[in-house]
Every structure is written in structure tokens, then in C-alpha cells.
Amino acid sequence: DALVKRRLTILLDDEDAPNEKCGELVQHAGCPHARSPSELVEIIRRIIDNFPYREELVQMAERYVEKFCVAFGEESAERIARIIKL
């Protein structure tokens, strides 16, 4: 939901490798993966201080949403309504 709402998302998981769903978000949506509170702080600082990095994350997230989320919001409701009318 956060990506669809255009919110940058950071995954916090103490495992070295993220679980399957988190791994998809790291690999395909470009979500940073923090394994500790200190890594989380580093990532947040980098997002705040490094505009090109922040823009790269935004672009990757938008591509993910476009590719993997066929429809959402009003468009989704319109598609459902068209199917029901058939």
C-alpha cells in the first residue's frame, strides 16, 4: 500500500536475506533493507541527504507499481464495475 501511495518504504528485518515477499520488494521495487536499527538510521540519512538516491528509489518504486499493480484506486473500481456489468 505504501508504494501505491507513493511513499518510500524501508524494510526492517533482522535476517541477512529478506523473506520472500520482502525480497521481492528489495529486488523489484528498490526498497532498502535494514538489518538493524543502525542500518535503518543510515538508510534514512542517505534518503534525506542524497537527492539522486532518493529519486532513484522513487523511480524504482513507481516502475514496480506500474508493472506489478495493474490497477488500484478509482481505476480498480472502474474495472470491477465494467466486469460486473458484463
Side-chain angles (χ1 to χ4, degrees):
D1 286 346
L3 295 176
V4 170
K5 294 176 182 176
R6 301 188 190 306
R7 303 282 191 257
L8 289 179
T9 303
I10 302 169
L11 305 169
L12 180 58
D13 185 355
D14 65 355
E15 299 293 322
D16 285 335
N19 66 40
E20 185 178 330
K21 186 62 178 170
C22 290
E24 178 183 321
L25 293 173
V26 169
Q27 183 177 6
H28 298 292
C31 296
H33 174 217
R35 292 162 197 82
S36 68
S38 61
E39 279 189 15
L40 179 60
V41 170
E42 277 182 43
I43 290 168
I44 292 170
R45 284 187 178 140
R46 185 172 180 202
I47 290 170
I48 291 169
D49 296 338
N50 186 332
F51 181 77
Y53 176 67
R54 182 170 57 246
E55 279 301 301
E56 179 183 344
L57 293 178
V58 168
Q59 294 300 317
M60 289 181 74
E62 286 179 358
R63 284 193 298 272
Y64 174 81
V65 169
E66 288 173 10
K67 186 174 181 179
F68 291 100
C69 303
V70 175
F72 50 89
E74 189 174 326
E75 181 184 354
S76 176
E78 289 171 357
R79 286 181 178 204
I80 292 168
R82 280 196 304 268
I83 290 170
I84 290 173
K85 288 180 183 178
L86 296 176

